Amino acid sequence: MKIEVFGVQNKTIKVKKGDNLLDVLLDEGYEVKHPCDGKGKCGKCKVTVVKKKEEGLGEGKRKIKLACEVKIKKPMQVYLSDKKEKSESK
């Protein structure tokens, strides 16, 4: 399964069902604020998520979610704030 990430750098990422979105974004080098260490308490890891009905077909509803609370179940598009930058350290 794949997710599409849009922000400073647009990218398609291969993921497994059940992966945590915050973990995936961090593993891919995206800097996502998460001072509560992904416990859902600070509200800093907000992203806009569009769950797709089928891979490659159409869009669903846009929702603002905390990346640390999103378990990937279906293909989706993820929109990061323009303020977040791709890490140069990876």
Side-chain angles (χ1 to χ4, degrees):
M1 170 179 359
K2 296 177 184 174
I3 64 170
E4 297 171 288
V5 180
F6 299 95
V8 173
Q9 181 170 346
N10 298 340
K11 190 173 188 180
T12 299
I13 304 169
K14 190 172 183 179
V15 296
K16 294 178 184 168
K17 186 175 182 177
D19 281 352
N20 176 276
L21 181 57
L22 178 61
D23 292 340
V24 168
L25 294 172
L26 294 174
D27 288 347
E28 289 294 321
Y30 288 96
E31 291 183 15
V32 181
K33 292 181 184 179
H34 60 289
C36 71
D37 203 27
K39 293 181 176 41
K41 297 184 179 200
C42 68
K44 300 285 185 183
C45 63
K46 289 180 185 172
V47 295
T48 301
V49 174
V50 180
K51 292 185 180 177
K52 298 173 119 187
K53 294 177 183 165
E54 294 180 41
E55 194 160 354
L57 297 177
E59 289 190 358
K61 291 184 181 178
R62 291 178 178 264
K63 292 185 179 179
I64 295 178
K65 299 270 192 174
L66 297 179
C68 67
E69 294 182 342
V70 175
K71 297 288 183 205
I72 300 170
K73 297 177 186 174
K74 295 181 178 183
M76 64 176 68
Q77 294 174 330
V78 179
Y79 294 86
L80 303 176
S81 166
D82 290 341
K83 294 177 185 174
K84 297 186 176 44
E85 297 179 13
K86 180 103 164 100
S87 173
E88 298 298 325
S89 63
K90 277 209 156 192

